[in-house]
Amino acid sequence: MLAVSAAVATGAWWPYAWIAADLILFAIRFLLMRQCEQARRRGAKGPLAALMAAGGAWSIIFGLGCYGCIASGHMALAVLAALNVAGVVGVVSSRNAATPRYAIFVMLVVSLPYVAGALFSPAPGMFVVGIQMPFYVAGVIIVLLQNHAINARMIRAELDNRDLAIKDALTGLPNRIFLQERLRDMCGELAAPAANGGKPFAVLSMDLDGFKQVNDRFGHAVGDMLLRKVSERLKRAFRPGDVVFRIGGDEFVILLASTSEIEATYLAKRAIEKISVPFDLGVGTAIRIGLSIGSAFAPVDGSDPEILLSCSDHALYEAKRTGKGRYWAHARAAN
């Protein structure tokens, strides 16, 4: 509307170029925003850099257009341009607190051309406007940075609360809540083979053999230390992408993504060997415990989180019933 007003008031060519550039950029930004929204729904990364570049180009054109308004010598256009500059700077400050460098760039390229035009305008009083405008922009930038700091603290607090909700306080491993979330996601991916190549995954339920005796003999402090050591060994026993969960007491669960039964068997037996190595916890004697493991495979044993956990628990029960310190697959247990 400011460009249309400039075209009507001045009859010059540049407002029409401004209008044409605005319309082109409007179409480009609209398409980029649609692509970003579609990518967000797919869980993918959209063309955000291109969208921000288009926004920067619009800011430059807008700043030059406002310079043209004040340079035209038309007082009504100069006032309208000042209102538009102040409005854009204020809106950017309130809406772009998450991207402060980009917001400051937009505010400067929108306002500085107008400031330059006001300082050198022959119209009476415009020099004062040119002097005052930088103070306004600087104040809004300070507000922007304060909002950014507040938002950053809020995001950090949310992440900290999220960590407290999904992590085991003793070992730092993900807990039962996160296990349910991750297992639900993996079952969902299994329904869409293109997402993970149609490869199955394994759920390994684990229980320490002899842990209660350690607690009874040496106390809970030593038991807690032992659980932390066990957690470290379990993480080293499996592949980098595998996730170890502590779901309570001396119970652990591990999700093995894109694995075969042969590979899962090898990893489970390696974990049993690592845990069977005595622990030196500074109590005057080496502490020996064992590890029993039961497994379930998706989609063979099911594609629902509760069913898979139930199957792996049943296999774990069979492993402990048949002698402890061993690995048992649910398919074998079911037979």
Side-chain angles (χ1 to χ4, degrees):
M1 292 302 297
L2 181 59
V4 170
S5 300
V8 173
T10 65
W13 64 269
W14 60 265
Y16 295 99
W18 183 5
I19 294 171
D22 245 8
L23 292 174
I24 292 171
L25 280 171
F26 174 82
I28 292 173
R29 295 173 77 188
F30 179 77
L31 292 174
L32 289 172
M33 283 188 282
R34 284 192 61 187
Q35 291 177 19
C36 287
E37 181 62 20
Q38 291 168 356
R40 184 189 65 81
R41 291 173 182 169
R42 297 193 306 268
K45 185 178 179 181
L48 290 174
L51 180 59
M52 295 179 76
W58 176 87
S59 304
I60 294 171
I61 292 171
F62 182 81
L64 293 175
C66 290
Y67 174 82
C69 287
I70 195 168
S72 69
H74 198 289
M75 186 56 64
L77 286 180
V79 172
L80 285 175
L83 292 174
N84 275 267
V85 168
V88 169
V89 169
V91 168
V92 169
S93 174
S94 63
R95 291 190 58 180
N96 292 78
T99 53
R101 288 191 293 269
Y102 173 74
I104 291 172
F105 167 78
V106 170
M107 286 190 281
L108 290 178
V109 297
V110 164
S111 61
L112 289 181
Y114 186 88
V115 171
L119 290 175
F120 295 102
S121 173
M126 292 308 299
F127 180 79
V128 177
V129 175
I131 292 176
Q132 291 292 322
M133 183 67 76
F135 291 98
Y136 165 73
V137 176
V140 175
I141 289 175
I142 291 172
V143 173
L144 165 76
L145 295 176
Q146 290 175 340
N147 288 337
H148 174 70
I150 293 171
N151 287 344
R153 286 197 296 271
M154 290 175 60
I155 292 171
R156 289 193 196 100
E158 287 181 10
L159 293 175
D160 290 342
N161 290 336
R162 170 69 174 167
D163 282 345
L164 291 173
I166 66 173
K167 283 189 178 180
D168 173 54
L170 176 63
T171 62
L173 295 177
N175 61 15
R176 186 185 294 271
I177 294 174
F178 191 45
L179 169 64
Q180 294 287 348
E181 292 181 7
R182 184 72 186 106
L183 193 52
R184 204 162 41 239
D185 291 342
M186 293 177 73
C187 288
E189 291 172 1
L190 198 65
N196 62 356
K199 295 180 180 179
F201 64 88
V203 180
L204 271 58
S205 292
M206 304 182 176
D207 190 79
L208 299 180
D209 303 322
F211 177 74
K212 183 178 184 302
Q213 289 82 349
V214 173
N215 254 348
D216 293 342
R217 181 180 176 186
F218 299 103
H220 290 287
V222 173
D224 290 347
M225 191 186 310
L226 178 59
L227 287 173
R228 286 192 288 267
K229 294 291 185 181
V230 167
S231 301
E232 293 171 5
R233 287 192 186 182
L234 286 177
K235 286 190 288 187
R236 292 196 298 268
F238 292 89
R239 303 169 303 181
D242 298 331
V243 186
V244 184
F245 303 83
R246 181 185 177 223
I247 60 174
D250 60 345
E251 299 177 53
F252 297 84
V253 171
I254 297 182
L255 300 181
L256 304 179
S258 302
T259 191
S260 64
E261 186 171 351
I262 294 175
E263 186 176 27
T265 301
Y266 166 75
L267 292 171
K269 290 184 175 179
R270 186 170 72 174
I272 291 172
E273 291 175 1
K274 285 186 176 293
I275 298 303
S276 66
V277 176
F279 291 83
D280 182 8
L281 301 180
V283 294
T285 182
I287 294 178
R288 297 177 180 273
I289 57 171
L291 181 68
S292 297
I293 303 177
S295 69
F297 288 85
V300 176
D301 292 315
S303 56
D304 179 80
E306 296 302 325
I307 292 175
L308 290 171
L309 287 173
S310 176
C311 289
S312 64
D313 282 342
H314 179 62
L316 173 61
Y317 168 80
E318 290 296 324
K320 296 183 79 70
R321 186 183 65 84
T322 55
K324 300 183 180 180
R326 61 179 59 194
Y327 166 70
W328 201 272
H330 176 258
R332 191 164 20 134
N335 293 331

